[in-house]
Amino acid sequence: DTAVSQTPKYLVTQMGNDKSIKCEQNLGHDTMYWYKQDSKKFLKIMFSYNNKELIINETVPNRFSPKSPDKAHLNLHINSLELGDSAVYFCASSQLLRATRPSSHEQYFGPGTRLTVT
Amino acid sequence: GQNIDQPTEMTATEGAIVQINCTYQTSGFNGLFWYQQHAGEAPTFLSYNVLDGLEEKGRFSSFLSRSKGYSYLLLKELQMKDSASYLCAVAGGQLTFGSGTQLTVLP
């Protein structure tokens, strides 16, 4: 069974379109994340949700809107796609955010969604 | 905020030992993590340190000095499959990743 799954794995679309990426985790974790990894391989956090509540919202254009229907799901919707949005987007989950036990920070990543905007 | 530095690239020979360094400056510290990421795949957890010293896990070991803001990942008996990017990450209020060190293992 896949611990953290994302769909789709590949997404090719044109500028200006709206698209969504779905993420699900079956680990029973409380916290889920979205990361963007650009062509230079730098992994940067975008959002974090803890028990369906938005905790971290880094400097990300408001064209990006996360939605968490329940704590096992965190979807990412992107409006008006731009060329610079092309990247690999990873979903991840962990037990607890801001926990004092380091092991709670261990994150499990989904396989990634390669988004290409043309 | 967090600032994490690690070398961009390293090359080593199969069977050798390689040490990947990571220095960090952080406003909060709950532990330091190392992740491995093969090309086209997701990062996977390797190790974490919360106290100073060496943590050994098979061929991989990780060291931490909190006073120096310094960690390293030591890979022994290198294998071709160890060619990957190695990401240092610091847990403060959230997990912040370095830009990764691309390790190439040559035959």
Side-chain angles (χ1 to χ4, degrees):
Chain A
D1 284 345
T2 304
V4 183
S5 59
Q6 292 177 231
T7 54
K9 190 166 174 61
Y10 299 97
L11 185 54
V12 181
T13 188
Q14 291 183 328
M15 284 174 57
N17 284 349
D18 303 338
K19 291 293 178 185
S20 292
I21 308 172
K22 295 186 176 181
C23 178
E24 177 181 1
Q25 55 96 3
N26 61 8
L27 297 167
H29 286 165
D30 289 319
T31 307
M32 295 185 72
Y33 311 82
W34 276 109
Y35 287 89
K36 179 180 180 181
Q37 189 168 44
D38 59 25
S39 57
K40 295 183 179 178
K41 308 301 181 187
F42 186 52
L43 194 64
K44 187 173 180 182
I45 191 165
M46 300 173 68
F47 301 102
S48 172
Y49 267 72
N50 190 53
N51 243 332
K52 300 195 301 175
E53 181 185 349
L54 180 64
I55 299 298
I56 295 169
N57 183 355
E58 293 296 309
T59 307
V60 174
N62 56 16
R63 299 182 293 105
F64 290 79
S65 53
K67 284 189 171 51
S68 182
D70 55 61
K71 77 172 194 177
H73 295 84
L74 181 62
N75 303 323
L76 183 65
H77 188 75
I78 315 170
N79 289 326
S80 304
L81 278 156
E82 300 177 358
L83 293 176
D85 298 333
S86 295
V88 180
Y89 292 84
F90 286 102
C91 176
S93 72
S94 67
Q95 279 185 314
L96 289 170
L97 186 66
R98 298 194 177 108
T100 55
R101 287 179 294 119
S103 60
S104 299
H105 288 274
E106 181 183 337
Q107 295 189 10
Y108 295 78
F109 284 80
T113 296
R114 182 173 292 277
L115 172 65
T116 303
V117 182
T118 61
Chain B
Q2 319 270 27
N3 187 35
I4 301 171
D5 287 312
Q6 50 182 133
T8 306
E9 295 177 326
M10 296 184 73
T11 303
T13 306
E14 197 173 13
I17 299 173
V18 71
Q19 177 174 311
I20 302 174
N21 296 325
C22 171
T23 57
Y24 64 90
Q25 292 149 354
T26 178
S27 56
F29 184 82
N30 284 324
L32 188 140
F33 291 72
W34 285 95
Y35 280 77
Q36 180 191 58
Q37 185 177 24
H38 284 101
E41 298 182 11
T44 55
F45 169 78
L46 283 179
S47 69
Y48 75 80
N49 296 66
V50 61
L51 299 175
D52 290 353
L54 190 68
E55 294 282 343
E56 297 188 73
K57 207 174 180 180
R59 294 188 299 114
F60 294 3
S61 304
S62 56
F63 171 83
L64 175 67
S65 168
R66 287 171 297 170
S67 62
K68 294 181 180 178
Y70 168 68
S71 173
Y72 67 71
L73 180 69
L74 194 69
L75 294 79
K76 302 176 186 174
E77 300 169 19
L78 279 172
Q79 301 175 9
M80 299 295 289
K81 67 178 182 179
D82 297 330
S83 291
S85 181
Y86 291 86
L87 306 168
C88 173
V90 174
Q94 63 198 55
L95 197 61
T96 302
F97 285 84
S99 54
T101 298
Q102 182 63 47
L103 174 66
T104 302
V105 180
L106 302 174

